[in-house]
Every structure is written in C-alpha cells, then in structure tokens.
Amino acid sequence: MRNLLSLLVSLMLLGGAAGHLAAQTATPVISYNTQFHPTLARRGMVVSQDKHASEAGLEILRMGGNAIDAAVATGFALAVTHPQAGNLGGGGFMLIYLKSEDRVIALDYREMAPRAASRDMFLNAGGDVDNRRARFSMQSSGVPGTVMGLTDAQAKYGALPLSAVMAPAVRLADEGFIMNWALSASLSRYRERLGADPVSLKQYFKADGSPYQQGELFQQPDLAKTLTEIAAKGAAGFYQGWVADRIVETMKSSDGLIRHEDLLNYVAKERDAISGTFRDYSVVAMPPPSSGGVHVVQMLNVLEGWDLKSLGHNSASYIHRLTESMKYAYADRSKYLGDPDFFKVPITALTDKGYAGTIRGKIKLDAATPSTDIAPAPELPDESKDTTHFSTMDAAGNMVSNTYTLNFSYGNGRTVAGAGFLLNNEMDDFSAKPGTPNGFGLIGGVANAIEPGKRPLSSMTPVLLFKDGQPVMATGSPGGSTIITAVLQTVLNVMEFDMNAATATARPRIHHQWFPDRLILEPGHSVDTRLLLAAMGHSVSAVASYNEGERVLGATMTIIRRPDGLIAGSADPRRPGAYAAAY
Ligand code: DON
C-alpha cells in the first residue's frame, strides 16, 4: 500500500508541477469567487467575533467616526460582550493605515512583565516549570496594555471624543445585553475555572451560580463603572486612581506582582512595521514582540519562488510546500524572536529574500524533512487559547487590523474585585525554561526569557495588504501558535489564488509549527490529500486542541477593498457569533 502511494506521489510530485498540471488540463480555469459570498458595503465595515461589538463600531462610523474610532469602540465593546478574549486586562497589537498620510502605524500594547518578575519565577524547587503558577495564578498576569493602546490610538488618530466612542461599551455593560448562544455555551464550559474565583463567579454567573442562558439579560455594573472612569479620564482612569487601587489590591490578595509603579510605567509603543512583498502586493505586518509579521513575510518569501496557483489550492504538493516553510519559520522563531527592547531580533536577515531562497533550496519537493533534522539557522548574516481579532475600514480608505488577548480564554480566570474585568495570563508566553513548551506547545530560549519590563513574545499577526499603493485588505486571527499560519493561508488565498474575502476565509487550513512534528489538517481536506501527504513522510493528524478544545485553526476577520470600490468582508464561520456589520 505504502509503495503504491509512494509511486503515486512520485508520479505527481517528483516531476514538479508538470504531472499535476497535466492532470488538471480538463479544468484550466479555477474561479474561487462564486463559492462563498462576503458581506458587501459601500461606506464602511467592522468585522469582529461578536455582533454587539461589530455594531458598536458601525454606530461610531455612522456618527462620522473614522476606522480608528470604530476600532476603539469595537475593542471596548468586546471587553463587555466577548470576555473570553475581549479585554481591559490584557494586551495586543493594532495596525492603523491612515489614508490621508499614506502611513501605517504599528501600535504595540502588549503586556509588560512587572518589576518584580524574574527569569526563573515559574520554576519549582526541582527546576521544572510550574504550569499552574505560569498559567492560572496572579503571577501569570503581565501589566495590562489594552486601555493604553486603545486610548492612545483614539487620542492620536481618532476623529471623535473618547467618551462618544466608548458610549456603546458603557451602555452594553450598564444596561446589559441579551446573552447569545456563543457566550452562554462558553461560560458553561469554563464554569469550573471561573467559578474558582468568587469575584469571577459573581461577575459572570447568576446569583445561584448557574450560567446565564441564551436570551437572558446580562449586566456588568462594576465593569460599567470602570469604563465610565476611562471614558472620562482616558488611560489615567485605569492606570491611576481607584481602578489602579483595585488592581493592586487584587494582586496583593494572592501572590500577584503588579504594583502601582508598574501601572504608572506602562507604555504602548509605536514601532516600525514589518514590510514585505509577495508578487505585486505589499505586505505590512506587526513587528516584534509579535513573531507573526516576521514569519508571515519569511514564509511568503519562501513560497513566492514556486508557482503555487498551478499546483492547485490545498493540493498535497501545495500543502507540502506550505508545511516545510512553516517548519523552518517556527524553528527560527524559537531562537531569534523576543521583545526587541531586550533582544536584538535579526528582522532584516529573517525577512530577506535571499535567506528565503536558502530555505527553499533545502526543501525537498517529494518528502517531508523530519523536524529533528531542522534547526534554527545557526547564524544569520549580520544586519544593520483565546484571542480575538477585528478589522475596520471606512469610506476614506483608512483601515485598522487589531488582535488582542488575555492569552487563554478568560485569561487567568481572575476578575479584579470592584472593577469587573478579567486579568491576563500572558506571562506564560515567555519561555519559562529553555526548551520547555508553553501552553501552545511553543519552545524558546534566551530571546524570550522573563525579565522585568519585558514583553512576552506573541504570535498575534494583524496584517494589512496593499496593491499599486492602494489599501486592499485587513486581516488577523486568534489561535495561539496557529495564528501565524492561519493568517499566512488567508493572505495567500487572496494574493495567489484570487479568492474573495469569504472564500479565502472558509477554505480548510493546515498547521505545522516545527515541534511537535505534526501536520494538522482541518476537516474539509480530502482523504486522497491526506494519504499523499502521509506517503511523503508527514505525520498527519486531525485538528488538535491547541485552543483548548476548539476543533478549528484560527478565526480570521477580514475586510477587502475591491477594485470596484466596494468593501467586502467576512467574519470567520469557524466560531459562533462572529459578524460583519456594514453600511
Ligand atoms: O500572544 C500570543 O501569541 C498568545 N497569547 C495568543 C493566545 C491565543 O491566541 C489564544 N487562542 N486563541
């Protein structure tokens, strides 16, 4: 059987694309654009994981707000309606395209390690990582960045007052909203983790401790007070004053490390975006401490050297090339990526087309290279579990691509008493011990070791695409370590396979992250493809639970501006509740 398969593989793959192409001559033109339809609009759009939040952004667009105002409104609203990942107590990344200045801003509002953090803080007496402390204790929280990020973006690039932009979020918390199925089911699933904290239990469950059912009113008065304070005072309403007092009290009530000084010292940073090209597209993405931008560009550079379109979308030969590119990128990630304020990340070398050519040269077209045979580049040339994404676009052509998170769903599960928001467990994104995998199976070393004031390495990958100098697409995804590969495939679907937003979103995805040496296929890939890949030596598995039981790879929120001027968007159908609001 295996020999037969090998023969088949040899026939189809050893001869390069030729054999495959010959087999396809009966259907030379493949148009993907009538398969699924995106939401279409003339003026503006907001795509997020939750309908209330998308509509909050749309309300702001209709009032005359720009894409940045809409993004900030959506970000604050998600903190109310999508507490799995929408947050005040976490952090993230925002890419902003300002049409009038033809400029991209890469805003880093990732959490920072508190001053009292130290390299070995999560090791137990035996020198092993104590996963409970790294993931579910107060110590797992980094200093939150979301409120600084959203208010900075609003103050510098928004058009409306902060209080107006935050009004929908305040209203959703204060008046409440009707619980939808997605949140009700999620809260039931996390009843045990959230119920372990009396404050979270009170905030997210009924007085008798039972979960709210779909159709019931859900109000969050403490959160409404916090949002009102921020709406009135900006970031000072969170990093100083009574909200800051509540955060520090909550930290002290357990073993938490965050103090007033940490909150006062928190800064969101504008960084130079990562830029790359793929054929006639420009790709603009988030720089470190996100690893996503560097590696999406690195993998696109490798893949650009092959005519992928002729191989056929999701053919075994296409998936093989994707997979091998992913292994090299994640190997380099483990060694070279970290917070650029603490570690010199070789961005130019990693995103260099020549280096990509070297990787391409090592990739065998007919066989998988075992991950144990792949190591991070020994030298580079010198050079000078829930997260959520939303995208916005306005009539003027401004766009925002924002991914933010608490890390796992509901972060560390602990709510700040009296202030009504959950705390992150982002400290687990550091490499607590070289070579020991974190909650997403990712390994790292010194580049991503814990240091006070440092930001943990992230996989969050907001991306913007441009063509002929014009803004054409904003996208991004949750999914921990699978974020980078989900985003890669979504942009390839558009740039290489000419798919529309909906089709590019819906098509089945794959994932490989070097270690574990496992090629994950989403449902929807054919058995033939699976067998061909297995025969090439890939250890193929169905979707694993990187994301705490989710059976999917990512959940992209995409907006595309079409050549005819229409705005086309797609909320990923992989998770319930996502919605494209448009007008
Ligand atoms: O920043 C990161 O890479 C992770 N904290 C993201 C976590 C995540 O995406 C969870 N699941 N969807």
Side-chain angles (χ1 to χ4, degrees), residues 93 110 291 333 385-388 403 405-409 425-426 429 440 442 456-460 477-483 546-547 575:
F93 303 122
R110 181 77 164 161
S291 58
R333 183 188 191 279
K385 267 168 193 183
D386 220 306
T387 292
T388 198
T403 316
T405 188
L406 292 164
N407 194 22
F408 289 6
S409 296
N425 61 343
E426 222 77 62
D429 275 349
F440 294 96
L442 292 168
L457 182 61
S458 173
S459 300
M460 292 187 286
S477 178
S481 56
T482 69
I483 293 173
Y546 278 109
N547 190 24
R575 297 192 194 180

Side-chain angles (χ1 to χ4, degrees), residues 11-276:
L11 280 174
M12 294 192 71
L13 302 163
L14 268 178
H20 206 72
L21 267 181
Q24 285 190 354
T25 46
T27 52
V29 180
I30 300 172
S31 170
Y32 297 103
N33 279 337
T34 49
Q35 190 179 9
F36 302 106
H37 289 277
T39 300
L40 292 174
R42 276 193 304 120
R43 282 172 286 186
M45 190 177 291
V46 180
V47 187
S48 86
Q49 187 57 55
D50 178 73
K51 185 165 190 259
H52 293 290
S54 297
E55 285 176 341
L58 187 68
E59 180 182 326
I60 296 303
L61 283 179
R62 283 183 189 276
M63 276 173 61
N66 62 19
I68 296 89
D69 295 305
V72 172
T74 306
F76 279 116
L78 282 165
V80 181
T81 60
H82 187 66
Q84 297 95 311
N87 69 81
L88 303 183
F93 303 122
M94 183 183 283
L95 286 178
I96 299 169
Y97 174 67
L98 287 183
K99 177 71 177 159
S100 61
E101 300 176 26
D102 189 26
R103 177 163 79 98
V104 172
I105 295 113
L107 183 61
D108 164 11
Y109 60 94
R110 181 77 164 161
E111 296 89 334
M112 291 167 72
R115 209 173 73 117
S118 56
R119 195 192 63 186
D120 297 334
M121 62 185 275
F122 294 128
L123 301 187
N124 61 24
D128 296 323
V129 179
D130 178 345
N131 283 331
R132 191 205 62 81
R133 266 191 310 117
R135 296 173 193 174
F136 301 111
S137 73
M138 284 298 177
Q139 287 184 11
S140 68
S141 296
V143 182
T146 294
V147 174
M148 193 65 81
L150 296 183
T151 55
D152 273 6
Q154 165 66 29
K156 283 194 182 160
Y157 308 110
L160 300 177
L162 180 66
S163 56
V165 167
M166 289 187 66
V170 173
R171 195 175 65 227
L172 286 161
D174 183 37
E175 295 172 15
F177 61 94
I178 300 300
M179 178 70 66
N180 61 24
W181 181 85
L183 180 55
S184 166
S186 167
L187 286 169
S188 301
R189 190 162 132 214
Y190 286 90
R191 170 69 179 74
E192 202 179 316
R193 184 179 306 171
L194 290 167
D197 174 37
V199 190
S200 297
L201 183 65
K202 182 160 168 272
Q203 167 99 8
Y204 295 105
F205 296 87
K206 295 193 214 176
D208 66 1
S210 66
Y212 289 91
Q213 299 300 314
Q214 180 178 11
E216 292 180 341
L217 182 68
F218 176 50
Q219 292 170 295
Q220 299 173 83
D222 287 344
L223 181 56
K225 275 190 274 170
T226 301
L227 288 165
T228 305
E229 183 79 358
I230 298 166
K233 299 186 180 157
F238 183 87
Y239 294 92
Q240 301 169 42
W242 67 263
V243 177
D245 291 344
R246 292 296 95 79
I247 295 172
V248 173
E249 277 163 24
T250 301
M251 285 287 141
K252 287 183 174 167
S253 72
S254 184
D255 54 0
L257 301 181
I258 299 172
R259 296 293 179 266
H260 281 289
E261 186 194 5
D262 296 306
L263 294 167
L264 283 171
N265 288 339
Y266 184 81
V267 277
K269 291 198 170 177
E270 289 188 9
R271 300 189 186 272
D272 293 334
I274 299 289
S275 297

